Amino acid sequence: MRIINTKVKVGIILFEYDIFVQGFPGKSPTHGGLGWSSIALLSQNDQNIIIDVGSFGVRKLLFQKLHEKGLTPNDITMVLLTHTHWDHSVNWNLFPNATIVVGEVDMNWALNEPTGHSDVPELYIKELDRSPQKRLVGHLEEIVPGIVAHQTKGHTPGHLAYSVDNGDFDIIFSGDAAKNRAELLSRNVDMTLSLSDSLDSIDYLWNLWRKKKDNIMVPGHDIPMKLVDGKPVYLQKREAELQCWFSDNLEDLTDVKLVD
Ligand SMILES: [Zn+2]
């Protein structure tokens, strides 16, 4: 997987920015949500921040990506969750030394969702609620210098996007407030609890994106983009692939590339 490896200046702090796992803009009509969400790492000295942590299927890949950076889960100092859905939040408990940042409104909502009623992983959210690692945050709260939470509700009632200010350009992690390029461009969304709130959030994200010429948008289920002449342009090549056992032996794998 191709990795962005850019030195990012956040105020006086330099962050290294990596996309560990690319988000994928799709769902399955036969097998439900794929849950292939974006996972990113921001590093600066001994500060390592992961933005969204994915679900069970991505664990080995996540450990491998950390290993390639010379890191272990113990080195992660902070996890920023955009929202409490399973495909973004379940792996929070892999990082014993991290502060787990989550929207206060989203936590209160998730804790009161009836079992099986939504994409909330009920038990993991209950565990997070009683964990001393939890840090609840709200709209426009500065998490660490240069990183700000933005309430972008609709997909969930307390969804947060995060902006990382580097002086010259910001990186905006939209989570599922804008899951992919199609939602940003069409200004319409799939899977929301409030369409009007979601449309307001899309407008809000566009305003953040246009603030500086070279701002980068990282959607919850798509690859990073930049605006060129006002139009989103992908900054990476999409890498998504299935390996299928359709024949009579294990060696003969059929590769299915999920690319546009
Ligand atoms: Zn979601």
Side-chain angles (χ1 to χ4, degrees), residues 104-181:
E104 183 165 14
V105 175
D106 221 52
M107 272 301 280
N108 289 337
W109 164 75
L111 287 167
N112 289 297
E113 278 295 273
T115 297
H117 189 70
S118 69
D119 287 323
V120 171
E122 299 89 355
L123 303 182
Y124 281 81
I125 292 303
K126 275 187 194 142
E127 194 66 22
L128 175 57
D129 187 49
R130 59 171 171 249
S131 168
Q133 290 176 258
K134 175 188 72 172
R135 175 179 163 190
L136 297 174
V137 299
H139 184 47
L140 296 183
E141 193 164 329
E142 192 168 45
I143 314 296
V144 296
I147 300 182
V148 175
H150 301 267
Q151 191 125 307
T152 39
K153 60 186 179 180
H155 179 73
T156 62
H159 185 286
L160 295 176
Y162 296 98
S163 62
V164 180
D165 180 2
N166 80 329
D168 296 330
F169 67 94
D170 302 342
I171 308 168
I172 302 147
F173 294 90
S174 70
D176 283 0
K179 294 186 280 300
N180 52 52
R181 180 175 174 271

Coordinates of all heavy atoms in Angstrom, one line a residue, residues 104-181:
E104 N -18.5 13.9 23.0 CA -19.3 13.7 24.1 C -20.8 13.4 23.7 O -21.4 12.5 24.2 CB -19.3 15.0 25.0 CG -20.1 14.8 26.3 CD -19.9 15.9 27.3 OE1 -19.2 16.9 27.0 OE2 -20.3 15.7 28.4
V105 N -21.2 14.1 22.7 CA -22.6 13.9 22.2 C -22.7 12.5 21.6 O -23.7 11.8 21.8 CB -23.0 15.0 21.2 CG1 -24.4 14.8 20.6 CG2 -22.9 16.4 21.8
D106 N -21.7 12.1 20.8 CA -21.8 10.8 20.2 C -21.8 9.7 21.2 O -22.5 8.7 21.1 CB -20.6 10.6 19.2 CG -21.1 9.9 17.9 OD1 -22.1 10.4 17.3 OD2 -20.5 8.9 17.5
M107 N -21.0 9.8 22.2 CA -20.9 8.8 23.3 C -22.3 8.7 24.0 O -22.8 7.6 24.2 CB -19.8 9.1 24.3 CG -18.5 8.6 24.0 SD -18.4 6.8 23.8 CE -18.3 6.2 25.5
N108 N -22.9 9.8 24.3 CA -24.1 9.8 25.0 C -25.2 9.2 24.2 O -26.1 8.4 24.7 CB -24.6 11.2 25.4 CG -23.7 11.7 26.6 OD1 -23.1 11.0 27.3 ND2 -23.6 13.1 26.7
W109 N -25.1 9.4 22.9 CA -26.1 8.8 21.9 C -25.9 7.3 21.9 O -26.8 6.5 22.0 CB -26.0 9.5 20.6 CG -26.6 8.6 19.5 CD1 -27.9 8.5 19.2 CD2 -25.9 7.8 18.5 NE1 -28.1 7.7 18.2 CE2 -26.9 7.2 17.7 CE3 -24.6 7.5 18.3 CZ2 -26.6 6.3 16.7 CZ3 -24.3 6.6 17.3 CH2 -25.3 6.0 16.5
A110 N -24.6 6.9 21.7 CA -24.3 5.5 21.4 C -24.6 4.7 22.7 O -25.1 3.5 22.5 CB -22.8 5.4 21.1
L111 N -24.4 5.2 23.8 CA -24.7 4.4 25.1 C -26.1 4.2 25.2 O -26.5 3.2 25.9 CB -24.1 5.2 26.3 CG -22.6 5.2 26.4 CD1 -22.2 6.2 27.5 CD2 -22.1 3.8 26.8
N112 N -27.0 5.0 24.6 CA -28.4 4.8 24.8 C -29.1 4.1 23.6 O -30.3 4.0 23.5 CB -29.1 6.2 25.0 CG -28.7 6.7 26.4 OD1 -29.1 6.0 27.4 ND2 -28.0 7.7 26.5
E113 N -28.3 3.7 22.6 CA -28.8 3.0 21.5 C -29.2 1.6 21.9 O -28.4 0.9 22.5 CB -27.8 2.9 20.3 CG -27.7 4.1 19.5 CD -29.0 4.4 18.7 OE1 -29.1 3.8 17.6 OE2 -29.8 5.1 19.2
P114 N -30.4 1.1 21.5 CA -30.8 -0.2 21.9 C -29.9 -1.2 21.1 O -29.5 -1.0 20.0 CB -32.3 -0.3 21.4 CG -32.6 1.0 20.8 CD -31.5 1.9 20.9
T115 N -29.6 -2.3 21.8 CA -28.8 -3.4 21.1 C -29.3 -3.8 19.8 O -30.5 -4.0 19.6 CB -28.7 -4.6 22.1 OG1 -28.1 -4.2 23.3 CG2 -27.9 -5.7 21.4
G116 N -28.4 -3.8 18.8 CA -28.8 -4.3 17.5 C -29.6 -3.3 16.6 O -29.9 -3.6 15.5
H117 N -29.7 -2.1 17.2 CA -30.5 -1.1 16.5 C -29.7 -0.3 15.5 O -30.2 0.4 14.6 CB -31.1 -0.1 17.5 CG -32.1 0.8 17.0 ND1 -33.4 0.4 16.5 CD2 -32.1 2.2 16.8 CE1 -34.0 1.4 16.1 NE2 -33.3 2.5 16.3
S118 N -28.3 -0.2 15.7 CA -27.5 0.6 14.8 C -26.2 0.0 14.6 O -25.9 -1.2 15.0 CB -27.4 2.0 15.4 OG -26.6 1.9 16.6
D119 N -25.2 0.7 14.1 CA -23.9 0.2 13.8 C -22.9 0.5 15.0 O -21.7 0.4 14.9 CB -23.3 0.9 12.6 CG -23.9 0.4 11.3 OD1 -24.2 -0.8 11.3 OD2 -24.1 1.2 10.4
V120 N -23.5 0.7 16.2 CA -22.7 0.9 17.4 C -22.3 -0.5 17.9 O -23.1 -1.3 18.1 CB -23.6 1.7 18.5 CG1 -22.8 1.7 19.8 CG2 -23.9 3.1 18.0
P121 N -21.0 -0.7 18.2 CA -20.6 -1.9 18.9 C -20.8 -1.8 20.4 O -20.0 -1.2 21.1 CB -19.1 -1.9 18.5 CG -18.7 -0.5 18.4 CD -19.9 0.3 17.9
E122 N -22.0 -2.2 20.8 CA -22.5 -1.9 22.1 C -21.5 -2.1 23.3 O -21.2 -1.3 24.1 CB -23.8 -2.7 22.4 CG -24.9 -2.4 21.5 CD -24.9 -3.3 20.2 OE1 -23.9 -4.1 20.1 OE2 -25.8 -3.2 19.4
L123 N -20.9 -3.3 23.3 CA -20.0 -3.7 24.4 C -18.7 -2.9 24.4 O -18.2 -2.5 25.5 CB -19.7 -5.2 24.4 CG -20.9 -6.1 24.4 CD1 -20.5 -7.6 24.4 CD2 -21.8 -5.8 25.6
Y124 N -18.2 -2.6 23.2 CA -16.9 -1.9 23.2 C -17.1 -0.4 23.6 O -16.2 0.2 24.2 CB -16.3 -1.9 21.8 CG -15.6 -3.2 21.6 CD1 -16.3 -4.4 21.2 CD2 -14.2 -3.3 21.7 CE1 -15.6 -5.6 21.1 CE2 -13.6 -4.5 21.6 CZ -14.3 -5.7 21.3 OH -13.6 -6.9 21.2
I125 N -18.3 0.1 23.3 CA -18.6 1.5 23.7 C -18.9 1.6 25.2 O -18.4 2.5 25.8 CB -19.8 2.0 22.9 CG1 -19.4 2.1 21.4 CG2 -20.3 3.3 23.4 CD1 -18.2 3.0 21.1
K126 N -19.5 0.6 25.7 CA -19.7 0.5 27.2 C -18.4 0.5 27.9 O -18.2 1.1 28.9 CB -20.6 -0.7 27.6 CG -22.1 -0.4 27.5 CD -22.8 -1.6 28.1 CE -24.3 -1.4 27.7 NZ -24.9 -2.7 27.3
E127 N -17.5 -0.3 27.4 CA -16.1 -0.5 28.0 C -15.4 0.9 27.9 O -14.7 1.3 28.8 CB -15.4 -1.6 27.3 CG -14.1 -2.1 27.9 CD -14.4 -2.8 29.3 OE1 -15.5 -3.3 29.5 OE2 -13.4 -2.8 30.1
L128 N -15.5 1.5 26.8 CA -14.8 2.8 26.6 C -15.4 3.8 27.6 O -14.7 4.6 28.2 CB -15.0 3.3 25.1 CG -14.5 4.7 24.8 CD1 -13.0 4.8 25.2 CD2 -14.7 5.1 23.4
D129 N -16.7 3.8 27.8 CA -17.3 4.7 28.7 C -16.8 4.6 30.1 O -16.6 5.6 30.8 CB -18.8 4.5 28.7 CG -19.6 5.6 29.5 OD1 -19.3 6.8 29.3 OD2 -20.4 5.3 30.4
R130 N -16.4 3.4 30.6 CA -15.9 3.3 31.9 C -14.4 3.2 32.0 O -13.8 3.0 33.0 CB -16.5 2.1 32.6 CG -16.3 0.7 32.0 CD -16.7 -0.4 32.9 NE -16.7 -1.7 32.2 CZ -17.8 -2.3 31.9 NH1 -19.0 -1.9 32.2 NH2 -17.6 -3.5 31.3
S131 N -13.7 3.5 30.8 CA -12.3 3.4 30.8 C -11.7 4.8 31.2 O -12.2 5.8 30.8 CB -11.8 3.1 29.4 OG -10.4 3.4 29.3
P132 N -10.6 4.8 32.0 CA -9.9 6.0 32.4 C -9.2 6.6 31.2 O -8.8 7.8 31.2 CB -8.9 5.6 33.4 CG -8.8 4.1 33.3 CD -10.0 3.6 32.7
Q133 N -9.1 5.9 30.1 CA -8.5 6.4 28.9 C -9.4 7.4 28.1 O -8.9 8.2 27.3 CB -8.1 5.3 27.9 CG -7.0 4.4 28.4 CD -6.8 3.2 27.4 OE1 -7.2 2.1 27.7 NE2 -6.1 3.5 26.3
K134 N -10.7 7.4 28.4 CA -11.6 8.2 27.6 C -11.5 9.7 27.9 O -11.3 10.1 29.0 CB -13.1 7.7 28.1 CG -14.2 8.5 27.4 CD -15.5 8.2 28.1 CE -15.6 8.7 29.5 NZ -17.0 8.5 30.1
R135 N -11.5 10.5 26.8 CA -11.6 11.9 26.9 C -12.7 12.4 26.0 O -12.7 12.2 24.8 CB -10.2 12.6 26.5 CG -10.3 14.1 26.5 CD -9.0 14.7 26.1 NE -9.2 16.1 25.7 CZ -8.2 16.8 25.1 NH1 -7.0 16.3 24.8 NH2 -8.5 18.1 24.7
L136 N -13.7 13.0 26.6 CA -14.9 13.5 25.9 C -14.6 14.9 25.4 O -14.1 15.7 26.1 CB -16.1 13.5 26.7 CG -16.6 12.1 27.2 CD1 -17.7 12.3 28.2 CD2 -17.0 11.2 26.0
V137 N -14.9 15.2 24.1 CA -14.6 16.5 23.6 C -15.9 17.0 22.9 O -16.8 16.3 22.6 CB -13.4 16.5 22.6 CG1 -12.1 16.1 23.3 CG2 -13.7 15.7 21.4
G138 N -15.8 18.3 22.6 CA -17.0 19.0 21.9 C -16.5 19.8 20.7 O -15.3 19.9 20.4
H139 N -17.5 20.5 20.2 CA -17.3 21.3 18.9 C -16.2 22.4 19.2 O -16.3 23.1 20.1 CB -18.6 22.0 18.6 CG -18.6 22.8 17.3 ND1 -18.0 22.3 16.1 CD2 -19.0 24.0 17.0 CE1 -18.2 23.2 15.2 NE2 -18.8 24.2 15.7
L140 N -15.3 22.5 18.2 CA -14.2 23.5 18.2 C -13.2 23.3 19.3 O -12.5 24.3 19.6 CB -14.8 24.9 18.1 CG -15.6 25.2 16.8 CD1 -16.0 26.7 16.8 CD2 -14.7 24.9 15.6
E141 N -13.2 22.2 20.0 CA -12.2 22.0 21.0 C -10.9 21.7 20.4 O -10.8 20.9 19.5 CB -12.7 20.8 21.9 CG -11.9 20.7 23.2 CD -12.7 19.8 24.2 OE1 -13.9 19.8 24.2 OE2 -11.9 19.2 25.0
E142 N -9.8 22.3 20.9 CA -8.5 22.0 20.4 C -8.0 20.8 21.2 O -7.8 20.9 22.5 CB -7.6 23.2 20.6 CG -6.3 23.0 19.8 CD -5.4 24.3 19.7 OE1 -5.3 25.0 20.7 OE2 -4.9 24.6 18.6
I143 N -7.7 19.7 20.5 CA -7.3 18.5 21.2 C -5.9 18.5 21.7 O -5.5 18.2 22.8 CB -7.5 17.3 20.3 CG1 -8.9 17.3 19.5 CG2 -7.3 16.0 21.0 CD1 -10.1 17.2 20.4
V144 N -5.0 18.8 20.7 CA -3.6 19.2 21.0 C -3.3 20.4 20.1 O -4.1 20.7 19.2 CB -2.6 18.0 20.6 CG1 -2.9 16.8 21.5 CG2 -2.7 17.6 19.2
P145 N -2.3 21.1 20.3 CA -2.1 22.4 19.5 C -2.2 22.1 18.0 O -1.4 21.2 17.5 CB -0.7 22.8 19.9 CG -0.5 22.3 21.3 CD -1.3 21.0 21.4
G146 N -3.1 22.7 17.3 CA -3.2 22.6 15.9 C -4.3 21.6 15.4 O -4.7 21.5 14.3
I147 N -4.8 20.7 16.3 CA -5.8 19.7 16.0 C -7.1 20.1 16.7 O -7.2 20.1 17.9 CB -5.4 18.3 16.3 CG1 -4.0 17.9 15.6 CG2 -6.5 17.3 16.0 CD1 -3.6 16.5 15.9
V148 N -8.1 20.3 15.8 CA -9.4 20.8 16.3 C -10.5 19.9 15.9 O -10.6 19.4 14.8 CB -9.7 22.3 15.8 CG1 -11.1 22.7 16.2 CG2 -8.6 23.2 16.2
A149 N -11.5 19.6 16.9 CA -12.6 18.8 16.6 C -13.8 19.7 16.0 O -13.9 20.8 16.5 CB -13.1 18.1 17.9
H150 N -14.5 19.2 15.1 CA -15.6 19.9 14.5 C -16.9 19.0 14.5 O -16.9 18.0 13.9 CB -15.3 20.3 13.0 CG -14.1 21.1 12.8 ND1 -14.1 22.5 12.8 CD2 -12.7 20.7 12.7 CE1 -12.9 22.9 12.6 NE2 -12.0 21.9 12.6
Q151 N -17.9 19.5 15.2 CA -19.1 18.7 15.2 C -19.7 18.7 13.9 O -20.0 19.8 13.3 CB -20.1 19.3 16.3 CG -21.2 18.3 16.5 CD -21.4 18.0 18.0 OE1 -20.4 17.6 18.6 NE2 -22.5 18.2 18.5
T152 N -19.9 17.6 13.3 CA -20.5 17.4 11.9 C -21.5 16.3 12.0 O -21.3 15.2 11.5 CB -19.3 17.1 10.9 OG1 -18.4 16.1 11.6 CG2 -18.5 18.3 10.5
K153 N -22.7 16.7 12.6 CA -23.7 15.6 12.8 C -24.5 15.3 11.6 O -24.4 15.9 10.6 CB -24.6 16.1 14.0 CG -25.3 17.4 13.7 CD -26.1 17.8 14.9 CE -26.8 19.1 14.6 NZ -27.5 19.6 15.8
G154 N -25.3 14.2 11.8 CA -26.1 13.7 10.7 C -26.0 12.2 10.5 O -26.9 11.5 10.8
H155 N -24.8 11.8 10.1 CA -24.5 10.4 10.0 C -24.7 9.7 11.4 O -25.3 8.7 11.5 CB -23.0 10.2 9.5 CG -22.6 8.8 9.4 ND1 -23.1 7.9 8.4 CD2 -21.8 8.0 10.2 CE1 -22.5 6.8 8.6 NE2 -21.7 6.8 9.6
T156 N -24.1 10.4 12.4 CA -24.5 10.1 13.8 C -24.7 11.4 14.5 O -24.2 12.5 14.0 CB -23.4 9.3 14.6 OG1 -22.2 10.1 14.6 CG2 -23.1 8.0 13.9
P157 N -25.4 11.5 15.6 CA -25.8 12.8 16.2 C -24.6 13.6 16.8 O -24.7 14.8 16.9 CB -26.7 12.4 17.4 CG -27.3 11.1 17.0 CD -26.2 10.4 16.3
G158 N -23.5 12.9 17.1 CA -22.4 13.6 17.7 C -21.1 13.4 16.9 O -20.0 13.5 17.4
H159 N -21.2 13.2 15.6 CA -20.0 12.9 14.8 C -19.1 14.1 14.8 O -19.5 15.2 14.8 CB -20.5 12.7 13.3 CG -19.4 12.3 12.4 ND1 -18.5 13.2 11.9 CD2 -19.1 11.1 11.8 CE1 -17.6 12.5 11.1 NE2 -18.0 11.3 11.0
L160 N -17.8 13.8 14.8 CA -16.7 14.8 14.8 C -15.8 14.6 13.5 O -15.5 13.5 13.2 CB -15.8 14.8 16.0 CG -16.5 15.1 17.4 CD1 -15.4 14.8 18.5 CD2 -17.0 16.5 17.4
A161 N -15.5 15.7 12.9 CA -14.4 15.8 11.9 C -13.2 16.4 12.7 O -13.4 17.0 13.7 CB -14.8 16.6 10.7
Y162 N -12.0 16.2 12.2 CA -10.8 16.8 12.8 C -10.1 17.6 11.7 O -9.9 17.1 10.6 CB -9.9 15.7 13.4 CG -10.6 15.0 14.6 CD1 -11.2 13.8 14.4 CD2 -10.6 15.6 15.9 CE1 -11.8 13.1 15.4 CE2 -11.3 14.9 16.9 CZ -11.9 13.7 16.7 OH -12.5 13.0 17.7
S163 N -9.6 18.8 12.1 CA -8.7 19.5 11.2 C -7.3 19.6 11.9 O -7.2 19.8 13.1 CB -9.2 20.9 10.9 OG -9.3 21.6 12.1
V164 N -6.3 19.4 11.0 CA -4.9 19.5 11.5 C -4.3 20.7 10.8 O -4.2 20.7 9.5 CB -4.1 18.2 11.1 CG1 -2.7 18.4 11.6 CG2 -4.8 17.0 11.7
D165 N -3.9 21.7 11.5 CA -3.4 23.0 10.9 C -1.9 23.0 10.8 O -1.2 22.8 11.8 CB -3.9 24.2 11.9 CG -3.4 25.5 11.3 OD1 -2.8 25.5 10.2 OD2 -3.6 26.5 12.0
N166 N -1.4 23.1 9.6 CA 0.1 23.1 9.4 C 0.6 24.5 9.0 O 1.7 24.6 8.6 CB 0.5 22.1 8.4 CG 0.3 22.5 7.0 OD1 -0.6 23.3 6.8 ND2 1.2 22.1 6.1
G167 N -0.3 25.5 9.1 CA 0.1 26.8 8.6 C -0.1 27.0 7.2 O -0.9 27.8 6.8
D168 N 0.5 26.2 6.3 CA 0.3 26.4 4.9 C -0.9 25.6 4.4 O -1.6 26.1 3.4 CB 1.6 25.8 4.1 CG 2.8 26.6 4.5 OD1 2.6 27.8 4.7 OD2 3.9 26.0 4.5
F169 N -1.2 24.5 4.9 CA -2.4 23.8 4.5 C -2.9 23.0 5.7 O -2.1 22.6 6.6 CB -2.2 22.9 3.3 CG -1.2 21.7 3.5 CD1 -1.7 20.5 3.9 CD2 0.2 21.9 3.3 CE1 -0.8 19.4 4.0 CE2 1.0 20.9 3.5 CZ 0.5 19.6 3.9
D170 N -4.2 22.7 5.7 CA -4.8 21.9 6.7 C -5.1 20.5 6.2 O -5.3 20.3 5.0 CB -6.1 22.4 7.2 CG -6.0 23.9 7.7 OD1 -4.9 24.3 8.1 OD2 -7.0 24.5 7.8
I171 N -5.1 19.5 7.0 CA -5.6 18.2 6.7 C -6.9 18.0 7.4 O -7.0 18.2 8.6 CB -4.6 17.0 7.1 CG1 -3.2 17.3 6.5 CG2 -5.1 15.7 6.5 CD1 -2.2 16.4 7.1
I172 N -8.0 17.7 6.7 CA -9.3 17.5 7.3 C -9.7 16.1 7.2 O -9.8 15.5 6.1 CB -10.3 18.4 6.5 CG1 -9.9 19.9 6.6 CG2 -11.7 18.2 7.1 CD1 -10.2 20.6 5.3
F173 N -9.9 15.5 8.4 CA -10.4 14.1 8.5 C -11.9 14.2 8.6 O -12.4 14.5 9.7 CB -9.7 13.4 9.6 CG -8.3 13.2 9.4 CD1 -7.3 14.2 9.8 CD2 -7.8 12.1 8.7 CE1 -6.0 14.0 9.6 CE2 -6.4 12.0 8.5 CZ -5.5 12.9 8.9
S174 N -12.7 13.9 7.6 CA -14.1 14.1 7.6 C -14.9 13.0 8.3 O -16.1 13.1 8.6 CB -14.6 14.3 6.2 OG -14.6 13.2 5.5
G175 N -14.2 11.8 8.5 CA -14.9 10.6 9.0 C -16.1 10.3 8.0 O -16.0 10.5 6.8
D176 N -17.2 10.0 8.6 CA -18.4 9.6 7.8 C -19.4 10.8 7.6 O -20.4 10.6 7.0 CB -19.1 8.4 8.4 CG -18.4 7.1 8.1 OD1 -17.3 7.2 7.4 OD2 -18.9 6.0 8.5
A177 N -19.0 12.0 8.0 CA -19.8 13.2 7.7 C -19.7 13.4 6.2 O -20.7 13.8 5.6 CB -19.2 14.4 8.4
A178 N -18.6 13.0 5.5 CA -18.5 12.9 4.1 C -17.7 11.6 3.8 O -16.5 11.6 4.0 CB -17.9 14.1 3.5
K179 N -18.4 10.5 3.5 CA -17.8 9.2 3.5 C -16.8 9.1 2.3 O -15.9 8.3 2.3 CB -18.8 8.1 3.5 CG -19.6 8.0 4.7 CD -20.5 6.8 4.8 CE -21.8 7.0 4.0 NZ -22.6 8.1 4.5
N180 N -17.2 9.8 1.2 CA -16.4 9.6 -0.1 C -16.6 10.8 -1.0 O -17.3 11.8 -0.7 CB -16.9 8.4 -0.8 CG -18.4 8.4 -0.9 OD1 -19.0 9.3 -1.4 ND2 -19.1 7.3 -0.5
R181 N -15.9 10.8 -2.1 CA -15.9 11.9 -3.1 C -17.3 12.1 -3.6 O -17.7 13.3 -3.8 CB -14.9 11.5 -4.2 CG -14.7 12.5 -5.3 CD -13.7 12.0 -6.2 NE -13.5 12.9 -7.4 CZ -14.2 12.7 -8.5 NH1 -15.1 11.7 -8.6 NH2 -14.1 13.5 -9.5

